[in-house]
Amino acid sequence: MSITKICCIGAGYVGGPTMAVIAQKCPQIQVTVVDLNQERIAAWNNEDVTTIPIYEPGLAEIVAEARGRNLFFSTDVEKAIDEAEMIFISVNTPTKTYGKGKGMAADLKFIELCARQIAKVAKDNKIVVEKSTLPVRTAEALKSILDHTGNGVQFQILSNPEFLAEGTAVSDLLAPDRILIGGDTTPEGEQAIQSLVAVYANWVAPEKILTTNVWSSELSKLTANAFLAQRISSINAMSELCEQTGADVNEVARAIGMDSRIGPKFLKASVGFGGSCFQKDILNLVYIAKSYGLHEVADYWEQVIIMNDHQKRRFSNKIVQTLYNTVADKKIALLGWAFKKDTNDTRESAAIYVADDLINEEARLTVYDPKVSFSKILSDLDYLESRTPGKNKEHIAAAATAYEACQNAHAIAILTEWDEFRSYDWQKIYDSMQKPAFVFDGRNILDVDQMKAIGFVYLGIGA
Ligand code: NAD
Ligand code: UGA
């Protein structure tokens, strides 16, 4: 079947950019992105495309090109479902905060709601595409809900996980390493797979479109994230050993990365990985393994999270220890709050946990992030419920520039690798600080020799 109308449920970090690129590359297909969140949809429809709700380099231009032509954002979920031949489910699948599997399993309530709504509204056959990251065998549950509508509509369920990374979403979508599509091995399943292959074939080379069975596709997504996060925890584990032994983790990463079997990517030691997915997806994997009684498998992957938590705590401990074991009433400038550069997303950002530890020690924090608002910073801290919101506000402030954030500070902690941090006038910053002036470079982005020549006490990760 040739697809002419697509609906995507969920206008978030995945649904928005993914559908914008499909719409741009397939002008013959009408793409409608729907969400229950009226504010978010209103922001996607903002006339001024620079104020759309998600910041991603290159995204505003694509939205400007396709919006109103064949790309639409709406809160009318039922209408969009009714009209579409293919429905992507791109809603959030956070870690459960209640009941069985609390703190580990993926919360599938939003997914189930989508399935029930599709079942209720659909009057003709539909292809339902899992775009959200889901536990292996979720398609079975979806199929069971969809097939019990009693109105004779046939559904095909495909798994088409998304591999984009935030900050590079547009380039990842335009030139993906691969597109993965899992479906039933029946003739109808095969037909559905080919319909989705044809959509991507508008801009992706055929050899990059991989088709598998549904379960392999669902599990490959969790596996990819687990392997990526594992590399970061592996290099971070080595960073601690480097600090004890005089080895330099950047040199170690370079040396091992030149082995073509290991490769150079994802070996940057850091204050710890953040983002909405690595932790959630690994916890989900651990939960799945446990639920099959595979305890050694579960324990193996859980170590990736344990190491990451240790790295964040180790970083804040180091700040306290270095500042003569007390940061009470000392001003510390935090540069960066987003979980990585080029995004305004702060979910699970290491900065939140470092700030929380430092506030426990009664430090006074001033944050500068080029894309994150102060209200977001406060709400991230309040969400932890470590103390009252009022108390958080007493300990943290925002600055309009990094220069302002660093003025009179005892120390600077670099928590996000924003490019602009590299090109600052560091001499000017040093001159405005308390002495000795410390820099804790949680991303290893600054020139160590230059910083030391200026007079900073410089501490990176793993050296
Ligand atoms: P998000 O929270 O940014 O967006 C999800 C949206 O779905 C929200 O706007 C929410 O209002 C909406 N929603 C929830 N239930 C709904 C319903 N019943 N009807 C209509 N709208 C509904 O989440 P995200 O970051 O886009 O992630 C979505 C999924 O994609 C997750 O499973 C995630 O693991 C996966 N994923 C995310 C990324 C990423 O970089 N963020 C990358 C790959 C995969
Ligand atoms: C990650 C994956 O890279 C995507 O393929 C996947 O689609 C996505 O998760 C998802 O499922 O949500 P994302 O979390 O957006 O993407 O960003 P990454 O570039 O993977 O960075 C994750 C975290 O790891 C960031 O905090 C980053 O700073 C950190 N990181 C990354 C390191 O500390 N060191 C590295 O070498 C690389």
Side-chain angles (χ1 to χ4, degrees):
M1 192 212 306
S2 169
I3 302 297
T4 61
K5 285 198 176 95
I6 285 176
C7 159
C8 172
I9 309 179
Y13 282 87
V14 169
T18 309
M19 292 302 130
V21 168
I22 290 183
Q24 188 205 31
K25 293 294 176 186
C26 313
Q28 73 284 11
I29 300 179
Q30 179 183 310
V31 180
T32 307
V33 191
V34 292
D35 204 296
L36 297 173
N37 183 335
Q38 295 189 353
E39 224 177 294
R40 209 166 205 181
I41 290 297
W44 279 112
N45 283 323
N46 275 346
E47 205 170 321
D48 174 5
V49 282
T50 60
T51 61
I52 54 175
I54 286 163
Y55 172 72
E56 279 290 339
L59 181 60
E61 292 81 347
I62 293 180
V63 170
E65 179 187 333
R67 200 179 54 186
R69 179 188 72 189
N70 66 326
L71 174 66
F72 302 93
F73 294 93
S74 162
T75 50
D76 195 344
V77 181
E78 299 207 343
K79 179 164 179 272
I81 292 175
D82 180 34
E83 288 178 357
E85 298 120 8
M86 182 176 270
I87 301 159
F88 286 77
I89 302 181
S90 191
V91 300
N92 37 329
T93 49
T95 304
K96 265 185 98 175
T97 53
Y98 55 89
K100 193 161 174 270
K102 177 180 174 181
M104 293 216 113
D107 191 342
L108 298 180
K109 70 178 175 204
F110 304 112
I111 294 285
E112 181 165 338
L113 269 172
C114 291
R116 290 189 183 279
Q117 199 162 18
I118 296 169
K120 191 179 95 186
V121 172
K123 295 195 280 295
D124 48 12
N125 297 350
K126 309 274 185 207
I127 298 171
V128 176
V129 184
E130 300 175 343
K131 186 50 115 176
S132 298
T133 301
L134 296 169
V136 55
R137 295 203 80 86
T138 303
E140 200 170 34
L142 282 181
K143 189 148 184 54
S144 167
I145 294 168
L146 291 169
D147 284 352
H148 283 83
T149 57
N151 55 9
V153 172
Q154 299 290 310
F155 293 100
Q156 279 300 320
I157 299 171
L158 300 178
S159 160
N160 172 221
E162 184 48 61
F163 295 100
L164 69 80
E166 288 178 30
T168 53
V170 170
S171 52
D172 293 343
L173 287 164
L174 290 174
D177 284 347
R178 78 321 209 165
I179 294 292
L180 178 57
I181 302 172
D184 271 359
T185 44
T186 56
E188 296 81 12
E190 191 51 43
Q191 225 180 11
I193 292 176
Q194 288 314 320
S195 303
L196 185 52
V197 167
V199 172
Y200 284 109
N202 282 290
W203 78 100
V204 181
E207 63 275 16
K208 292 208 164 169
I209 306 179
L210 186 66
T211 60
T212 65
N213 79 34
V214 188
W215 319 129
S216 305
S217 173
E218 287 178 337
L219 189 55
S220 297
K221 172 63 195 177
L222 292 182
T223 309
N225 273 2
F227 270 58
L228 289 167
Q230 181 199 41
R231 278 175 76 96
I232 304 170
S233 278
S234 297
I235 199 71
N236 281 345
M238 289 306 157
S239 74
E240 192 169 10
L241 194 53
C242 285
E243 287 169 27
Q244 296 296 323
T245 56
D248 177 333
V249 77
N250 298 318
E251 292 179 351
V252 173
R254 195 149 162 244
I256 65 166
M258 285 172 78
D259 185 326
S260 59
R261 295 167 302 174
I262 296 174
K265 292 182 182 166
F266 258 71
L267 286 179
K268 267 190 238 110
S270 69
V271 53
F273 59 75
S276 62
C277 292
F278 279 170
Q279 174 166 306
K280 140 179 112 61
D281 292 346
I282 294 176
L283 288 173
N284 185 6
L285 192 64
V286 169
Y287 183 76
I288 294 168
K290 277 189 182 157
S291 67
Y292 285 104
L294 308 178
H295 297 291
E296 289 78 5
V297 177
D299 291 349
Y300 176 78
W301 287 108
E302 196 165 15
Q303 280 302 320
V304 173
I305 301 289
I306 292 172
M307 188 63 225
N308 196 49
D309 287 339
H310 171 67
Q311 189 75 351
K312 290 183 265 187
R313 184 110 318 137
R314 194 168 84 71
F315 186 79
S316 45
N317 282 344
K318 187 161 218 165
I319 295 178
V320 177
Q321 273 166 16
T322 311
L323 295 183
Y324 316 106
N325 286 314
T326 175
V327 290
D329 287 325
K330 287 182 182 162
K331 178 176 175 181
I332 300 177
L334 306 185
L335 298 192
W337 190 266
F339 82 96
K340 60 183 283 198
K341 74 172 181 176
D342 292 339
T343 176
N344 59 350
D345 193 350
T346 65
R347 290 177 290 181
E348 289 301 322
S349 178
I352 302 169
Y353 298 94
V354 171
D356 188 51
D357 284 351
L358 294 175
I359 294 177
N360 278 341
E361 294 293 330
E362 302 277 328
R364 286 184 297 115
L365 306 177
T366 306
V367 189
Y368 166 73
D369 186 289
K371 291 286 173 199
V372 181
S373 67
F374 185 48
S375 61
K376 184 78 192 93
I377 292 170
L378 274 180
S379 76
D380 286 340
L381 277 173
D382 292 347
Y383 186 76
L384 293 184
E385 294 185 345
S386 304
R387 59 196 75 76
T388 60
K391 187 92 178 146
N392 280 328
K393 225 174 176 169
E394 277 173 30
H395 280 277
I396 196 159
T401 66
Y403 294 93
E404 186 189 321
C406 297
Q407 197 152 27
N408 277 323
H410 291 259
I412 298 169
I414 295 185
L415 299 173
T416 312
E417 70 280 25
W418 286 103
D419 287 335
E420 65 176 63
F421 297 166
R422 297 173 200 264
S423 56
Y424 287 162
D425 182 345
W426 283 100
Q427 182 68 56
K428 186 171 160 194
I429 290 176
Y430 176 81
D431 291 341
S432 75
M433 288 177 66
Q434 304 271 348
K435 306 295 174 324
F438 296 86
V439 173
F440 298 89
D441 188 350
R443 297 287 174 173
N444 288 350
I445 56 169
L446 297 180
D447 183 317
V448 186
D449 294 335
Q450 183 206 354
M451 298 302 283
K452 287 188 173 162
I454 289 172
F456 281 109
V457 181
Y458 176 92
L459 289 99
I461 300 267

